[in-house]
Amino acid sequence: MAIKQLTETIINQIAAGEVIERPASVVKELVENAIDAGATRIDIVTAGGGKNLIRVSDNGSGIPSDELTLAVARHCTSKLTDDVHDIRALGFRGEALPSIGSVSRLSMKSRIAEADSGFEVNVHGGRLEGPRPTPMNGGTIAEVRDLFFATPARLKFMKTDRAEASAISDVVKRVAIAFPHIRFSIAGSDRTPLDLAATGTGSTGMLERISQVLGKEFPENAIAIDAMRDGVRLSGFAGIPAFNRANSLQQFAYVNGRPVRDKQIWGAIRGAYADVISRDRHPVVVLFLNLDPALVDVNVHPAKADVRFRDPGLVRGLIVGAIREALGQSGIRAATSGAEAMLNSFRLGGVEPIRPAAQRWQGAAAVNQNYNVQQSPYRPFATEPAALHGGEGFAETVQAFLYDGATALATDTRAGMAEAPQELLSAPLGAARAQIHSNYIVSQTEDSLVIVDQHAAHERLVYEALKNALHSKPLSAQMLLIPEIVDLPEEDVGRLVAHAETLARFGLGIESFGPGAIAVRETPSMLGEIDTQKLIRDLADEIAEHDTSDGLKAILDHVAATMACHGSVRAGRRLKPDEMNALLRQMEETPGSGTCNHGRPTYIELKLTDIERLFGRR
């Protein structure tokens, strides 16, 4: 078959296969164009999950009439200089609009501030029409109809309208977080309207925009991140360990304002939370990386979803170190979702919430204005007892009954308890008041009630103590009688030898044994008998992927976690008041003590206001 030049339409359709994966990809490209144009308001309208209609309107600078035809032509852009590594805009290739026009019916209307009217061009399946004048306000309106009508085979791979509409909402939310000064709205017959009002710039505006997307509970369970290393700045918010999700959909990462889904960043986030969250749970984080554009390559993925850092080890170390330091300095905190779940469990019985007394009696008076209590046959006393008028007798009987009935409970749960001093009540976890079911410590603060899982809490304390003992000095190693030889590719051998000094600190002694093998002479004593071959190969894979040898440290930490689990206070053990208070004070001083080694919460805090609301006092 002879080699021939492809037509422009086929070239654009091939490009569309890379750039335009689904309707959400179209929305992403059009919204990024609006942001690059300096828009402060972006309105999106969809129908049929974006397959029938996508309309993106903005109030940006607009496109001059003589440049409209260039805007829908391939490889035409105003966002790129002669240096392809100096990319400061979200878009830069000039492929999106011609790719969209090659597989749909695209209409572009735009007006600049100096023009008397707007102009319009249409691209239907790759055929250009216009430009021609059209009435409109300033800005740009991009309308896409009948997506993939020119390539009907692609429609077979589309999901339901609801799923595609949800994907569009997710894309807009991800972009919106990075630009809180812009108002975003989404509407259409296939969705519930969404309006994200502009919140301004600065950390306050950013946190308010994040709460619009992730919910109001995120700011209450997040810690501010702000760190810098070698010209790379990391900012944003990291959720506390107890505030986690079943998937990673609520992890947001941005590089110079560009939303990315980069496996290096996700791996760093996972590593930062490795000690405090279970493997099947995921933290909620919003991170912003800002660095010189020359230090990151954003031109490695057709949809610009992945990036490549010049120094990935620097970025990973910055993310892991900053998150861990922030978690350590934040002190002990419980997720508000735990208290919310407790409150909801009280309401599961279907009992109607109790209204405040004033509201109840006001409503009763309106209904029973003519009611006379003296005429009612349902009176418990023939004559009113003196206690109702402040007399004696009945009141004393009731008090005696309450005291005697509570004696057994008080003896069981509060034996030896004295009145707590004020300094204990003002502590984060308060003063221990009782132990119930021989496993849960109930404590009181100035404005809340705290329930602590004594086994989970002590497990975390023992684990942190073991880790500090392990990493404060080089670990003891056991020398092998006969060194074990592990055959590896030459490049893996080089990487391992480069990290030999770090590995020696953890008790693993290795050296090169020719160009394609590693000789293992020492292994960590605390690991006992291990599969040396598997350990070395796993470390080689990790160093190749992340340029770090943290895998061995993770294995040692896992051993410490197992030892902590078996060496901590067991459930069912009765604790004395002093022991309970000592455990609470140690929790307050230990970083990460809000969760156990398996990621479960160690305590739940219920505010006094929530308790009063349950009883109708608020």
Side-chain angles (χ1 to χ4, degrees), residues 177-178 210 218 223-226 233-239 250-260 265-266 268-269 272-273 284-290 318-320 322-323:
I177 286 179
I210 294 173
F218 178 74
I223 305 166
I225 303 289
D226 193 357
R233 184 184 180 189
L234 175 69
S235 59
F237 300 89
Q250 293 196 7
Q251 293 179 1
F252 299 82
Y254 301 85
V255 177
N256 291 340
R258 183 188 309 278
V260 297
I265 296 177
W266 299 150
I269 294 173
Y273 283 90
V284 182
V285 295
V286 181
L287 300 179
F288 301 91
L289 280 166
N290 290 279
L318 176 62
I319 293 174
V320 173
I323 292 179

Side-chain angles (χ1 to χ4, degrees), residues 34 38-42 58-60 181-184 198:
T40 58
R41 175 165 182 166
I42 302 176
D58 68 70
N59 62 349
H181 64 284
I182 301 177
R183 177 179 179 178
F184 294 84

Side-chain angles (χ1 to χ4, degrees), residues 182-256:
I182 301 177
R183 177 179 179 178
F184 294 84
S185 69
I186 315 177
S189 58
D190 56 351
R191 66 176 59 252
T192 301
L194 173 67
D195 191 357
L196 301 176
T199 58
T201 57
S203 58
T204 303
M206 178 63 69
L207 190 58
E208 189 175 346
R209 169 55 59 85
I210 294 173
S211 67
Q212 289 177 345
V213 175
L214 296 182
K216 294 182 179 180
E217 60 181 0
F218 178 74
E220 300 172 354
N221 297 278
I223 305 166
I225 303 289
D226 193 357
M228 191 166 183
R229 184 185 301 174
D230 296 341
V232 181
R233 184 184 180 189
L234 175 69
S235 59
F237 300 89
I240 61 177
F243 185 74
N244 53 65
R245 294 291 182 264
N247 55 49
S248 60
L249 293 180
Q250 293 196 7
Q251 293 179 1
F252 299 82
Y254 301 85
V255 177
N256 291 340

Side-chain angles (χ1 to χ4, degrees), residues 86-105:
D86 187 21
I87 298 174
R88 301 179 183 273
L90 296 178
F92 56 88
R93 292 199 189 106
E95 285 186 329
L97 292 179
S99 298
I100 295 170
S102 68
V103 295
S104 68
R105 308 183 197 277

